Amino acid sequence: MSEKILFTSESVSIGHPDKVCDQISDAILDACLAEDPYSRVACECFATTNLLIIGGEITTNAAVDYEKVARDTLKKIGYTSADIGIDADHCEIRVVLDTQSADIALGTNKEVGGAGDQGIMFGYATTETEGYMPLAISIAHQLVRVATEKRLAGEFKHARPDMKSQVTVDYTDPQNIKIDTILMSIQHDEDYNEKEFRDYVKNEIMMYVVSKYDMNQDFRVIINPTGRFVIGGPHGDTGLTGRKIIVDTYGGYARHGGGAFSGKDPSKVDRSAAYMARYIAKNIVAAGLAEKTEIQLSYAIGVAEPTSVFVETFGTGKVSQEVLLKAIKENFDLTPNGIIHSLDLLRPIYSKTAAYGHFGRGDLNLPWENLDKVEVLKAYL
């Protein structure tokens, strides 16, 4: 028998320790932007047993109570006790923030409008799902999202905030793509009924999500494979901002430049240029110029124009690479200031992106998900 062709992506819930840090970093960013749209923010968080450290560089005219923002975020997630993972009201919080480097500011001020750092960024889109995202990561996000929503609504008994999902898709027959395996690890109370818990995860979460994608239901099911997941959150594992970059993007199905998003204002091209690359790729695919598109952008610190633009359509392109590059350069402003202006990025819109991915979010009105360039791009066919 021939080997299966399998691909796997994972996601994590709002209670995962790394995602806790992402959410606090982006909540602080939003709080700064709400009062001062030109805030320069590079905020990192580190969380462990009943301790949260907020560090980085912030230059802003906003008056933000960073500790309060952090505690409010922890409460919203559901971390109200040290036994669960961290105590929002009583955990120790250390704020060790400095201002942005004057050397970096030289290249990112309004007059120069250069990139806040060097780096490479990727954007991707595919016709595989309605949201122009790869299938595995789309399902993985929905699994932890549905489980979390049911937990917060009080419907998912004995569930705690920390959760992970993993989805393996079988691409052996391109005409009959199937789910091969779904794995979920979900933190639970000490006194839970294991069988009832597992049955609920399978029937009310896995089957519910899969049915929305009209996929097969004969997949392999794995739930809490160690048999116990009581100790979770920052108490079970250290959390760090920016450590879930593959969860945040395309689940490993597309390349990644290595730069994280959360806690960074849009002068940082790690974030804004990755959003622009997604915006370009999605509009190209939606316009019918390709079935799959990956865009790479690269920048030098303090320089406005990108050092390179690359486009790949994996054999699905309806026009040449030269035509696509021409279309990109004629219709998209790739300077940091141009990206910020065209995508309207100086607003407090980032907190909601810190969980369940930054792309393919039909639930949020995110500017980089708009398809307002489709008609003009069709002219290049």
Side-chain angles (χ1 to χ4, degrees), residues 140-254:
H141 282 323
Q142 281 299 309
L143 288 167
V144 288
R145 180 167 190 166
V146 168
T148 297
E149 288 172 349
K150 289 180 178 295
R151 173 183 66 84
L152 293 172
E155 299 172 13
F156 188 4
K157 296 179 180 178
H158 300 294
R160 290 181 173 181
D162 197 354
M163 308 177 186
K164 298 180 77 170
S165 65
Q166 190 168 284
V167 176
T168 301
V169 176
D170 183 350
Y171 286 100
T172 307
D173 180 0
Q175 304 306 314
N176 184 30
I177 296 171
K178 301 185 295 183
I179 300 174
D180 182 84
T181 304
I182 293 182
L183 159 64
M184 292 195 77
S185 295
I186 300 177
Q187 185 189 12
H188 56 81
D189 293 338
E190 183 87 53
D191 59 346
Y192 83 128
N193 182 302
E194 184 176 354
K195 184 181 185 306
E196 288 181 3
F197 192 86
R198 289 175 178 271
D199 287 347
Y200 188 91
V201 173
K202 179 181 178 181
N203 298 323
E204 303 301 325
I205 299 172
M206 292 182 176
M207 294 303 179
Y208 172 76
V209 169
V210 167
S211 66
K212 297 180 80 173
Y213 284 84
D214 196 28
M215 298 292 292
N216 62 295
Q217 297 191 353
D218 59 346
F219 50 84
R220 181 187 180 200
V221 173
I222 305 174
I223 300 168
N224 287 358
T226 67
R228 175 184 168 88
F229 186 8
V230 174
I231 302 169
H235 180 47
D237 194 7
T238 299
L240 194 65
T241 299
R243 198 157 54 182
K244 283 291 175 281
I245 59 175
I246 302 304
V247 171
D248 284 343
T249 52
Y250 308 100
Y253 204 84

Side-chain angles (χ1 to χ4, degrees), residues 10-33:
E10 72 159 352
S11 184
V12 298
S13 71
I14 61 174
H16 186 279
D18 293 330
K19 274 288 146 215
V20 168
C21 292
D22 284 345
Q23 290 166 92
I24 293 171
S25 292
D26 271 339
I28 288 172
L29 170 63
D30 276 358
C32 292
L33 293 177

Side-chain angles (χ1 to χ4, degrees), residues 345-372:
L345 296 180
L346 296 179
R347 299 174 292 140
I349 58 173
Y350 301 103
S351 293
K352 292 181 179 179
T353 68
Y356 315 127
H358 293 243
F359 307 123
R361 297 294 300 274
D363 58 310
L364 302 176
N365 185 25
L366 299 174
W368 53 88
E369 292 297 312
N370 289 341
L371 293 174
D372 51 356

Side-chain angles (χ1 to χ4, degrees), residues 21 24 45-47 50-54 70 74 86 92-94:
C21 292
I24 293 171
C45 293
F46 169 91
N50 241 26
L51 170 66
L52 174 71
I53 299 174
I54 303 170
L74 289 171
I86 192 168
E92 180 184 358
I93 295 182
R94 300 179 195 168

Side-chain angles (χ1 to χ4, degrees), residues 252-265:
Y253 204 84
R255 286 172 283 194
H256 197 294
F261 299 157
S262 290
K264 296 178 181 178
D265 75 81

